[in-house]
Amino acid sequence: MEGFVGRFKGKLFAYENTCRHIPISLDYGDNRFFTNQGDALMCQTHGAVYEPDTGLCTRGPCAGASLFPLEVVEEDGVLWFKED
Ligand code: FES
């Protein structure tokens, strides 16, 4: 499983890198997750738009579905994914 992490309005977020429309990565391997405006996450394939802080898809073919959240902790400036 591949995930990605970022900050939005100063707050950390982390999600599994899987679109909720078709189970493929949101990016094309280029680590581009934000829209050009930087106010939302976007799937590069069909343009689904997700809220960075909640993962909710607000526009596109999977509207109403949410990205799968990952738990991340920050310790001394280092980020760690928590595994169950
Ligand atoms: S695969 Fe992401 S919107 Fe279609």
Side-chain angles (χ1 to χ4, degrees), residues 32-62:
R32 285 189 53 211
F33 294 99
F34 277 100
T35 59
N36 288 339
Q37 295 78 21
D39 59 350
L41 304 173
M42 176 179 270
C43 176
Q44 302 297 321
T45 300
H46 301 123
V49 173
Y50 298 90
E51 294 178 341
D53 49 350
T54 67
L56 177 68
C57 179
T58 57
R59 201 170 63 235
C62 47

Side-chain angles (χ1 to χ4, degrees), residues 4-83:
F4 66 102
V5 63
R7 283 191 197 276
F8 184 68
K9 295 183 177 176
K11 193 170 165 230
L12 275 177
F13 64 79
Y15 298 106
E16 188 177 316
N17 186 10
T18 305
C19 185
R20 290 305 310 277
H21 176 216
I22 296 171
I24 58 176
S25 65
L26 296 167
D27 68 336
Y28 286 147
D30 54 4
N31 294 320
R32 285 189 53 211
F33 294 99
F34 277 100
T35 59
N36 288 339
Q37 295 78 21
D39 59 350
L41 304 173
M42 176 179 270
C43 176
Q44 302 297 321
T45 300
H46 301 123
V49 173
Y50 298 90
E51 294 178 341
D53 49 350
T54 67
L56 177 68
C57 179
T58 57
R59 201 170 63 235
C62 47
S66 293
L67 296 173
F68 296 111
L70 298 173
E71 197 172 347
V72 145
V73 291
E74 188 170 15
E75 291 176 1
D76 300 325
V78 178
L79 300 179
W80 300 90
F81 283 105
K82 282 179 109 177
E83 256 186 295

